[in-house]
Amino acid sequence: MPKTLERDLGLFSVFAISIGAMIGSGIFILPALAADIAGPAVVLAYLIAGLLVVPAALSKSEMATAMPESGGTYVFIERGMGPLLGTIAGAGTWFALSFKGALALVGGVPYLLYLFDVPQSITTPLALALATLLVVVNVLGAKQTGQLQVAIVAVMLAALGWFAVGGVPTVQLTYYDGFFDSGVGGILEATGLVFVSYAGVTKVASVAEEIEDPGRNIPIGILGSLAFTTVLYVLIVFVMLGVTEPGSLSDSSAPMAVAADAALGTAGVLAVVVAALLALISTANAGVLSSSRYPFAMSRDNLAPPSLGEISDRFNTPSTSITLTGVVLLLLIAFVPIADIAKLASAFQILVFVLVNVALIAFRRGTMEYNPDFRSPLYPWVQLFGVGSGLLLLTQMGTLPLVGAVVIIVAGTVWYLAYGRSRVDREGAAVDAIRRELGSQAVERTREAVTPATDGYEVLVAVPEEMNLANERTLVDVAADLARPHHGSVSVVRFDHVADQVPLDAATTQSADDIEFEARTDAMAADFDVPIRVSEVVSHDTRHALAHYIDSTDVDMLVMETEPNGLRERLFGSDVEWVLAHTDCDAVLVDPNRATTTGRHVTNGDDSDTGLGEVNVVTVVTDEGPYDPAKVAIADAIAAAHDAEIRFEYVVGEFGSDAQRSTLDDYHEDIASLCSSPVRTGFLRPGDGASDLETGETDVLVTGSSSVSLAVDCPSILVRPRDETTPGWLGRRLERRLL
């Protein structure tokens, strides 16, 4: 029988864990650094930062109740966004916690030295010594007990509460003169700096499986502790700035001790120093412990080397992962200034919280099993606000944090592409959500394409001189089929080319061949139930004449015969391609000469040909990605005219997941529901030949690829839609990659 964890953590425990994870360097160190940026408005910066954490707190509360066994920001993002962004989130969180641990040690040592008359030069060596000790303790496996954590939180809250309440009577409001002198930019920069003060608010999600009634206690505990800590932070900073002269805090590396001395005297200083040492050492130890778990977890997911996921036989701890984290911690302490450590820690945390909000949207929009006991209110606006505000803060924090965030994104991407991609075959909920959104958009474009036009719809059949008579009729047959659903008309225009030496006036006289063409086309019009008009255009340059005709008559669809891929076309370019490049109407290129020997298609070009002939199956093939709406509309029109069946063949590589196959099946059903004819569906692999199309069943092929049309032995229709009816470059790339 598998072991389960007892749900014995109540609401009070959730409060203690969350508050204990937040109280630390954010209040003992950062107010002085932030005051240098925003002045007295740093009070407002703490309040804004607390509010901006709310979206991520709500998102993580929801995901923790849906996946209480998972725990950890990295796992939520990896499941929601996929292994690529999971790698970036894992690296970002690892560095954020490492920076936070370094900040706690570098900022905590001055509080210890505040009580002794020793040179400040020993701050870094002492911080390095403490960091080494903490790394060794974690490697050996010693750990802080739950009772000790509760005791530390109690001592900190008692000392901080005394400072906040006892210091209010000594506050001098004159110290707040020039509150908004730093402007909005200064306040936002300070907000970004102190953002890391609230990073621990969601740490409780990692023990969600042990919390009783998680649907109630997790969100109440997280949001309640965030509200309590925000009020406490704002009150403490208000007192710190109100009891000390402007600028005095920035001159000290232990700003809260200076403020306590001014507000409460020696006893207050002792209480604050004890609380600071307990909080900062606890924060540093938690940083080593927590951050080392991220490379450990990534290793277990095959996104990092196996050695980082190994448990030491001697110490029963992930010693390699802890040691690597320790090395990073020591380097940060030794070489990175405390202000830069604080900025980078906040920047990485903001980036991770942005991904947390996006991950929740991915879970909601995807089809992955997801049943949270608590749901974030005001979805998705809260999450979108969290994403937007987080990105805004990153841009306001200066060059270093922004560069750091970009470096993490680039490094994580490169690492995943070089190492992780070949080792994992998972995809996140976001991929499925995007895939379904792309499919929905493709369906809507198709719906618009198959909806009959409300006003005059015109199909132009461009006929060159000396066209095969059977082919000419086939073009008119196709054009009539396309015009019929829109209650439109067909214009059959023959473009006669005369030499430059011949005046156009001299060539306008109708020849016997011209008269025969008009008579023949008029006779064809009697066979179709759509209006057909016949005319001729004489010019020295056929391609320009055709383009001008299309522009001047507002043609909706152009029907032409395909050109042979001969030497002239390869050397000088195709007239057809030139016309398509210089006009903005949809176009179909018909190749009627590829006919089977089954008797369903006439192969000799005889005048007795009846156009497309007997059509039972119209096959539509994609070019990798969704079916172009124009293809679907054309296939449906032809199938409806001949009481035929439509067969959709979707070109796809190996299915990346069951979710992809499910999405494509749903997409096929949605497309089929838009068609007026019976539909069958299937899948083709890239590069499949004519045999895979079952051309024995296919009577007409509708495609966008000339290579596919050349591979079959039946009449083919090559569809060239207008650019505005297709998604942009990025949209096409996403469709081909995901759908």
Side-chain angles (χ1 to χ4, degrees):
M1 176 181 291
K3 296 181 180 180
T4 59
L5 296 175
E6 182 69 22
R7 292 188 179 274
D8 56 2
L9 296 179
L11 185 58
F12 178 78
S13 298
V14 175
F15 271 111
I17 293 171
S18 189
I19 292 173
M22 278 188 282
I23 304 286
S25 58
I27 196 60
F28 290 105
I29 302 169
L30 295 183
L33 299 176
D36 276 344
I37 299 171
V42 69
V43 176
L44 186 58
Y46 270 91
L47 177 61
I48 295 174
L51 294 175
L52 296 184
V53 172
V54 170
L58 288 170
S59 296
K60 203 165 181 184
S61 295
E62 177 176 319
M63 289 186 286
T65 63
M67 297 171 284
E69 79 286 351
S70 302
T73 302
Y74 154 72
V75 177
F76 292 152
I77 295 176
E78 198 274 343
R79 286 191 178 188
M81 306 294 290
L84 171 57
L85 290 180
T87 301
I88 295 173
T93 306
W94 179 45
F95 274 105
L97 291 172
S98 298
F99 274 98
K100 190 177 180 182
L103 179 64
L105 290 173
V106 174
V109 168
Y111 280 89
L112 177 62
L113 300 181
Y114 190 83
L115 301 177
F116 305 97
D117 187 16
V118 293
Q120 294 294 317
S121 58
I122 71 169
T123 298
T124 299
L126 186 54
L128 289 171
L130 288 174
T132 303
L133 177 62
L134 291 176
V135 172
V136 171
V137 166
N138 278 275
V139 169
L140 294 178
K143 61 181 180 180
Q144 181 175 276
T145 65
Q147 292 80 4
L148 180 58
Q149 177 67 16
V150 173
I152 289 176
V153 172
V155 171
M156 286 190 302
L157 290 181
L160 295 175
W162 180 28
F163 174 82
V165 176
V168 170
T170 60
V171 169
Q172 299 185 42
L173 296 180
T174 56
Y175 291 163
Y176 283 91
D177 291 343
F179 189 85
F180 291 107
D181 286 353
S182 62
V184 175
I187 294 174
L188 290 179
E189 183 179 351
T191 301
L193 177 65
V194 303
F195 192 89
V196 75
S197 306
Y198 300 94
V201 66
T202 59
K203 186 178 180 181
V204 70
S206 62
V207 293
E209 194 175 0
E210 303 169 55
I211 297 174
E212 62 183 18
D213 194 5
R216 170 183 177 272
N217 289 338
I218 288 179
I220 292 178
I222 288 179
L223 296 175
S225 62
L226 175 60
F228 173 83
T229 305
T230 301
V231 173
L232 180 63
Y233 278 173
V234 169
L235 185 57
I236 289 174
V237 175
F238 173 76
V239 172
M240 289 178 67
L241 295 174
V243 300
T244 56
E245 294 183 2
S248 60
L249 291 182
S250 59
D251 295 333
S252 173
S253 53
M256 183 169 272
V258 173
D261 192 13
L264 304 174
T266 303
V269 172
L270 290 175
V272 166
V273 168
V274 170
L277 292 177
L278 289 175
L280 296 172
I281 293 177
S282 175
T283 299
N285 183 58
V288 174
L289 179 66
S290 300
S291 61
S292 65
R293 296 307 187 259
Y294 285 90
F296 176 79
M298 293 172 66
S299 174
R300 292 294 177 88
D301 288 341
N302 296 321
L303 294 174
S307 59
L308 294 176
E310 294 175 355
I311 302 296
S312 170
D313 294 333
R314 182 177 179 184
F315 305 115
N316 198 34
T317 60
S319 55
T320 304
S321 180
I322 293 173
T323 301
L324 176 62
T325 301
V327 171
V328 173
L329 185 65
L330 293 173
L331 291 174
L332 293 175
I333 293 173
F335 299 109
V336 182
I338 185 172
D340 292 341
I341 292 176
K343 289 181 179 180
L344 289 168
S346 276
F348 294 151
Q349 193 60 59
I350 291 171
L351 177 63
V352 170
F353 276 8
V354 166
L355 293 177
V356 165
N357 285 306
V358 177
L360 177 68
I361 296 175
F363 279 120
R364 289 278 197 105
R365 297 296 298 272
T367 57
M368 182 182 295
E369 185 177 350
Y370 181 72
N371 299 302
D373 294 329
F374 164 77
R375 287 186 175 269
S376 170
L378 300 178
Y379 166 87
W381 307 112
V382 168
Q383 285 66 37
L384 294 175
F385 173 75
V387 172
S389 61
L391 296 177
L392 175 62
L393 282 185
L394 281 177
T395 64
Q396 299 299 310
M397 292 177 65
T399 303
L400 180 65
L402 191 59
V403 170
V406 171
V407 167
I408 284 294
I409 294 173
V410 173
T413 301
V414 171
W415 176 264
Y416 171 75
L417 296 177
Y419 182 88
R421 182 169 60 175
S422 61
R423 292 173 170 82
V424 297
D425 56 1
R426 302 181 302 277
E427 63 178 24
V431 174
D432 185 55
I434 295 173
R435 181 185 295 125
R436 288 190 172 273
E437 180 63 26
L438 292 174
S440 176
Q441 293 176 4
V443 170
E444 287 306 311
R445 293 198 304 270
T446 305
R447 189 188 309 277
E448 293 177 4
V450 300
T451 300
T454 57
D455 50 11
Y457 185 87
E458 182 175 358
V459 181
L460 169 64
V461 180
V463 179
E465 293 179 274
E466 301 178 356
M467 171 179 267
N468 179 290
L469 301 185
N471 293 353
E472 180 182 293
R473 184 177 182 87
T474 300
L475 295 185
V476 177
D477 189 358
V478 170
D481 292 345
L482 301 184
R484 190 174 296 109
H486 301 283
H487 307 290
S489 61
V490 176
S491 293
V492 182
V493 181
R494 185 161 82 167
F495 290 85
D496 294 337
H497 176 267
V498 297
D500 292 342
Q501 295 85 353
V502 178
L504 292 179
D505 292 343
T508 56
T509 302
Q510 283 193 317
S511 64
D513 184 55
D514 296 334
I515 296 173
E516 180 185 352
F517 164 73
E518 292 188 5
R520 183 174 64 250
T521 309
D522 287 338
M524 277 191 282
D527 297 332
F528 301 103
D529 54 353
V530 297
I532 297 179
R533 296 186 296 272
V534 184
S535 61
E536 295 181 67
V537 174
V538 180
S539 70
H540 294 306
D541 189 332
T542 302
R543 59 166 64 172
H544 280 86
L546 176 55
H548 176 72
Y549 184 93
I550 293 172
D551 292 338
S552 61
T553 56
D554 196 23
V555 172
D556 296 289
M557 177 71 72
L558 171 65
V559 177
M560 301 176 68
E561 185 179 15
T562 56
E563 285 185 320
N565 188 23
L567 178 62
R568 179 185 179 280
E569 285 72 24
R570 291 196 296 270
L571 291 178
F572 303 106
S574 163
D575 287 342
V576 170
E577 294 296 334
W578 188 94
V579 171
L580 295 180
H582 291 78
T583 55
D584 63 353
C585 66
D586 291 335
V588 296
L589 307 180
V590 183
D591 186 356
N593 292 315
R594 298 184 178 278
T596 65
T597 58
T598 62
R600 285 181 291 179
H601 306 298
V602 176
T603 60
N604 57 11
D606 191 287
D607 285 352
S608 63
D609 180 47
T610 57
L612 290 175
E614 182 182 353
V615 178
N616 296 312
V617 177
V618 180
T619 298
V620 184
V621 182
T622 66
D623 300 323
E624 296 182 277
Y627 303 100
D628 188 278
K631 291 184 194 175
V632 179
I634 289 168
D636 188 46
I638 295 174
H642 297 268
D643 294 324
E645 176 188 71
I646 304 175
R647 176 173 176 154
F648 289 112
E649 293 284 2
Y650 198 101
V651 179
V652 62
E654 296 295 329
F655 288 106
S657 65
D658 292 339
Q660 183 188 16
R661 179 62 183 262
S662 175
T663 301
L664 289 177
D665 288 340
D666 292 344
Y667 171 66
H668 267 148
E669 290 182 9
D670 291 339
I671 292 295
S673 68
L674 300 177
C675 298
S676 58
S677 302
V679 172
R680 279 190 299 159
T681 61
F683 295 99
L684 290 174
R685 304 299 182 192
D688 281 347
S691 60
D692 298 285
L693 289 173
E694 298 185 19
T695 50
E697 296 185 4
T698 299
D699 299 299
V700 176
L701 175 67
V702 179
T703 182
S705 171
S706 58
S707 61
V708 174
S709 66
L710 292 172
V712 298
D713 198 19
C714 64
S716 63
I717 297 178
L718 188 64
V719 180
R720 296 295 180 86
R722 289 172 292 184
D723 289 340
E724 59 264 31
T725 64
T726 60
W729 176 85
L730 179 59
R732 292 194 299 272
R733 293 283 296 179
L734 286 174
E735 288 180 345
R736 294 190 178 191
R737 176 68 179 85
L738 298 180
L739 274 176

